[in-house]
Amino acid sequence: MPSILEIKPETDAVSETPVLIDGFHLFLNALKLNDIDTIFGLPGIPITDLLRMAQAEGMRVISFRHEQHAGNAAAAAGFLSAKPGICMTVSAPGFLNGLTALANATTNCFPMILISGSSEREIVDLQQGDYEEMDQLAIAKPLCKAAFRVLRAQDIGVGIARAIRAAVSGRPGGVYLDLPAKLFSQTLPLDAGLNSLIKVVDPAPSQLPGPDSVARALNLLKNAKRPLILLGKGAAYARADADIRALVEKTGIPYLPMSMAKGLLPDTHELSAAATRSFVLQEADVVLVIGARLNWLLSHGKGKTWGQEKGPKKFIQIDIAPTEIDSNVAIDAPLVGDIGSCVSALLTGIGGDWAKPSADWTGAIAERKAKNFGKMAATLAARPTPMSFQSALSVVKEIVKDNPEAIVVSEGANTLDFARSIVDMYLPRKRLDVGTWGIMGIGMGFAVAGAVVTGQQVIAIEGDSAFGFSGMEVETLCRYHLPVCIVVFNNNGIYKGTDQNTSGGNDLAPTVFVKNARYEMMMQAFGGVGVYVTTTDELHTAMVEAIASGKPTLINAAIDETAGTESGRITNLNPAKALKK
Ligand code: OXT
Ligand code: ADP
Ligand code: MG
């Protein structure tokens, strides 16, 4: 049977122009019409030809070794570009492999569209055992923001338009689009087909807050004695960078960035309270939350972390999702709308007579910050053998300072937690990490997206366990010649490498890996640069060379295997800890 590519579309005998358009081309034209130029995916029946045609049509097709990483790349692309990232997979197993990424994108409010080919409805619905049979739409539905299936070629335009709008409007999220194989070979008259496509107008419209809610929020903020601004990744996504900075600087209110909001203002900003997180969460009396949920990462807005014994706090919360308000604690002044519009309305209302917070408050913060900086400086300056997390990260910190445009990807437990507080970010949307779920395996997918979408250098700070989840994608990095420098923090295991099997049996403890594994050879195997380092000088040299060359590089950094703590800084969430209490 000839491949679809070899079948000539029906052409007009005189002009040689095609008079029919097939489902493949309708689909690709619908994406292109909406300025979508990149597909992350993994080929196979029924999408192999579609991906070939996409490439032939001038789209960038980034082909992965596992769909989860293609999906993660699409999600990160969505965050970085504010357009839905596209991931394409084959049916059942490929679809399921992509599903974790779709669910994770939804959880993190990243716009992406997972598009999977699927088996024939007639056979699937009667459960007659089709090739890769599965009712994918039903399975995807609870895990994403919206799910659609297109059965007729004339509906492809509507299907893509709905998917785009659902992904980026309101609270962004993941969308599933189910395309049964038969759809691609359907044809329509060329004109009718092209006319059926939709260019989505204003896919993420502004949502202005009501004047009353702005006045209420300003009133609360003005009367605060110890105000705090909390910036989440929604604030980074919103691209209201200048207004957010102006709000912080005009009001003089200290701010605390969540991990992916780091760099929205430079971490070195004098109003950053990141280095005195516990203190400000406990002591603030009014907290303006911008694009962050009061979920587990913020101890649900209550309890010891929030100094509950000192009395209730007042919250102002800006969010585009009205149902986010009051989800964990009472919100005194909700500002429902898009962050750009809400922050701009606050700025307008602030006026020239704004009284900045008292020196008591800002002075107390400055004092504690200075103390914590001092403590941190001492651990960063130490040069132990083997390297500690801190000594190795002191190198990464310097390199990121010298390359502020670089995208930093981070995952692991101790590696992640130390990197978050040690490595300063200077620009918005430069940090991608494990996000709301604390999920391992985002590393290489996010790294690929970072390089492909921004064209910038990527620095991936990876725990050795974390890296293992997506490690095979080093071949993808080499194949596309992407400027990604991976540093594997190799402490021989999950959290640390010294755990013991207490049963007396021969198996290693479940958290322990092969000692001194040579991860750099994985990169060498595909033509990239692999370096094994044991000192901070070697690490520095290797990172500088990686960035100068732009070549895919894996630096295997030997870290003290005794250094990590169980679960990093979230040890308290281990159930056995609760048993001991
Ligand atoms: O104010 P205080 O005194 O409290 O001090 C704070 C700051 O003020 C201060 N600070 C500073 N001081 C000085 N200077 C500066 N610049 C500065 N900045 C800050 O430092 C402290 C700490 O600040 P921080 O970090 O801001 O605050 P804190 O209290 O930590 O914040 C709380 C949280 C909750 C916001 C924060 O901890 C956080 O964001 N945590 C995220 C945690 C997370 O998501 N972890 C990942 C999941 S762990 C686990 O699940 C793992 N698994 C299981 C698994 C997963 N996840 N996924 C899948 C698919 N399968 C399985 C696995 C397998 S991790 C893992 C692998 C681990 O092994 P690896 O080898 O990869 O990694 P290693 O551990 O390295 O071996
Ligand atoms: P973090 O993990 O950094 O704390 P979250 O992912 O929990 O951040 O929260 C992000 C929040 O931002 C979500 O509640 C989401 O609805 C909101 N959000 C995302 N984009 C916008 C936007 N443009 N305007 C307003 N809110 C937004
Ligand atoms: Mg480790």
Side-chain angles (χ1 to χ4, degrees):
M1 208 173 113
S3 114
I4 296 287
L5 270 182
E6 288 153 22
I7 299 172
K8 276 225 173 270
E10 234 177 88
T11 56
D12 182 292
V14 183
S15 66
E16 290 264 310
T17 51
V19 293
L20 292 180
I21 183 162
D22 56 39
F24 290 105
H25 289 92
L26 278 169
F27 171 78
L28 295 173
N29 275 294
L31 291 182
K32 283 167 70 173
L33 183 64
N34 285 290
D35 304 320
I36 291 174
D37 54 11
T38 305
I39 296 174
F40 303 95
L42 202 160
I45 298 169
I47 62 158
T48 318
D49 288 320
L50 183 72
L51 294 180
R52 288 195 187 111
M53 290 177 196
Q55 201 169 42
E57 293 270 328
M59 295 181 84
R60 188 102 201 259
V61 178
I62 307 290
S63 180
F64 282 73
R65 305 298 293 255
H66 188 289
E67 290 87 349
Q68 187 176 131
H69 312 308
N72 284 328
F79 175 76
L80 291 170
S81 67
K83 288 194 293 190
I86 305 292
C87 172
M88 291 212 64
T89 78
V90 302
S91 24
F95 156 78
L96 286 174
N97 284 346
L99 205 52
T100 304
L102 179 70
N104 188 52
T106 307
T107 299
N108 281 285
C109 317
F110 297 159
M112 79 167 273
I113 307 175
L114 174 69
I115 303 173
S116 298
S118 61
S119 309
E120 303 314 336
R121 295 302 323 149
E122 299 84 343
I123 303 177
V124 174
D125 288 349
L126 273 172
Q127 299 171 30
Q128 292 175 310
D130 202 1
Y131 169 71
E132 296 189 351
E133 175 181 298
M134 177 173 277
D135 188 358
Q136 296 167 193
L137 188 74
I139 290 166
K141 248 180 201 164
L143 297 172
C144 58
K145 198 178 159 192
F148 305 103
R149 176 183 293 130
V150 182
L151 290 170
R152 305 181 305 175
Q154 61 264 40
D155 294 330
I156 288 176
V158 169
I160 299 279
R162 298 210 72 188
I164 291 173
R165 212 173 263 289
V168 295
S169 63
R171 171 182 281 175
V175 174
Y176 175 62
L177 192 59
D178 194 76
L179 303 183
K182 259 191 206 163
L183 178 74
F184 296 120
S185 55
Q186 292 179 29
T187 54
L188 288 180
L190 183 64
D191 280 355
L194 292 179
N195 286 335
S196 71
L197 303 183
I198 295 175
K199 167 121 179 114
V200 179
V201 176
D202 198 10
S206 307
Q207 295 189 25
L208 273 61
D212 290 358
S213 56
V214 176
R216 193 184 300 118
L218 279 171
N219 189 38
L220 203 52
L221 207 54
K222 271 184 189 154
N223 289 309
K225 302 253 174 316
R226 296 178 305 284
L228 176 69
I229 294 177
L230 213 158
L231 300 173
K233 59 171 130 48
Y237 179 81
R239 290 155 174 77
D241 309 341
D243 273 0
I244 287 175
R245 186 170 184 148
L247 181 73
V248 169
E249 291 179 344
K250 223 169 148 182
T251 58
I253 299 178
Y255 72 94
L256 192 61
M258 298 299 287
S259 66
M260 282 182 57
K262 277 166 69 74
L264 201 41
L265 287 86
D267 278 336
T268 47
H269 197 284
E270 64 168 340
L271 286 169
S272 169
T276 178
R277 182 180 194 271
S278 299
F279 175 75
V280 290
L281 288 182
Q282 279 170 17
E283 297 294 329
D285 63 345
V286 174
V287 183
L288 166 56
V289 182
I290 308 183
R293 286 167 286 184
L294 293 170
N295 57 15
W296 71 279
L297 288 157
L298 285 164
S299 308
H300 304 281
K302 53 196 166 198
K304 237 173 90 189
T305 307
W306 289 85
Q308 204 171 37
E309 68 285 357
K310 297 181 177 131
K313 286 191 198 312
K314 300 271 183 206
F315 283 100
I316 305 164
Q317 184 166 26
I318 302 182
D319 208 290
I320 202 153
T323 50
E324 187 54 40
I325 308 300
D326 300 332
S327 58
N328 284 275
V329 287
I331 300 299
D332 305 274
L335 264 179
V336 174
D338 74 275
I339 287 167
S341 302
C342 293
V343 171
S344 152
L346 288 179
L347 271 173
T348 307
I350 275 166
D353 59 344
W354 178 267
K356 290 193 172 176
S358 72
D360 278 359
W361 177 228
T362 50
I365 293 172
E367 196 183 303
R368 279 170 176 81
K369 263 177 74 172
K371 218 182 267 168
N372 283 351
F373 282 155
K375 274 194 241 162
M376 170 84 88
T379 56
L380 295 185
R383 289 289 173 262
T385 310
M387 284 188 284
S388 61
F389 285 102
Q390 293 93 331
S391 67
L393 282 165
S394 73
V395 174
V396 180
K397 181 187 176 87
E398 285 310 305
I399 298 281
V400 172
K401 187 176 173 195
D402 294 343
N403 298 276
E405 291 283 353
I407 300 277
V408 172
V409 173
S410 186
E411 60 177 339
N414 294 278
T415 304
L416 172 89
D417 290 341
F418 282 119
R420 185 177 56 249
S421 51
I422 292 172
V423 178
D424 290 329
M425 304 303 300
Y426 300 88
L427 294 168
R429 294 172 295 284
K430 294 296 184 186
R431 190 187 148 95
L432 303 171
D433 68 25
V434 300
T436 305
W437 267 351
I439 189 172
M440 298 299 114
I442 47 84
M444 296 305 103
F446 280 13
V448 169
V452 167
V453 173
T454 69
Q456 298 290 342
Q457 175 70 43
V458 174
I459 297 170
I461 310 171
E462 299 276 315
D464 50 343
S465 164
F467 172 69
F469 285 73
S470 63
M472 189 63 203
E473 302 297 344
V474 292
E475 190 274 334
T476 310
L477 300 178
C478 291
R479 193 161 16 105
Y480 292 99
H481 309 288
L482 297 176
V484 174
C485 171
I486 305 162
V487 184
V488 174
F489 279 65
N490 187 356
N491 64 348
N492 298 334
I494 301 177
Y495 313 134
K496 49 163 64 181
T498 50
D499 205 4
Q500 297 293 327
N501 174 352
T502 51
S503 75
N506 290 328
D507 289 345
L508 291 175
T511 52
V512 171
F513 294 158
V514 165
K515 296 238 183 269
N516 307 318
R518 301 304 294 262
Y519 293 102
E520 77 281 8
M521 291 180 180
M522 289 173 65
M523 188 61 104
Q524 290 164 355
F526 301 107
V529 179
V531 193
Y532 177 65
V533 301
T534 58
T535 67
T536 49
D537 285 346
E538 288 169 359
L539 175 57
H540 189 268
T541 305
M543 288 193 80
V544 168
E545 282 175 7
I547 291 170
S549 72
K551 288 186 183 158
T553 300
L554 191 155
I555 303 169
N556 182 7
I559 304 291
D560 182 356
E561 65 171 357
T562 66
T565 49
E566 180 102 359
S567 305
R569 283 190 57 88
I570 53 172
T571 305
N572 59 312
L573 297 182
N574 286 331
K577 279 269 159 203
L579 260 184
K580 282 179 200 151
K581 271 187 193 160

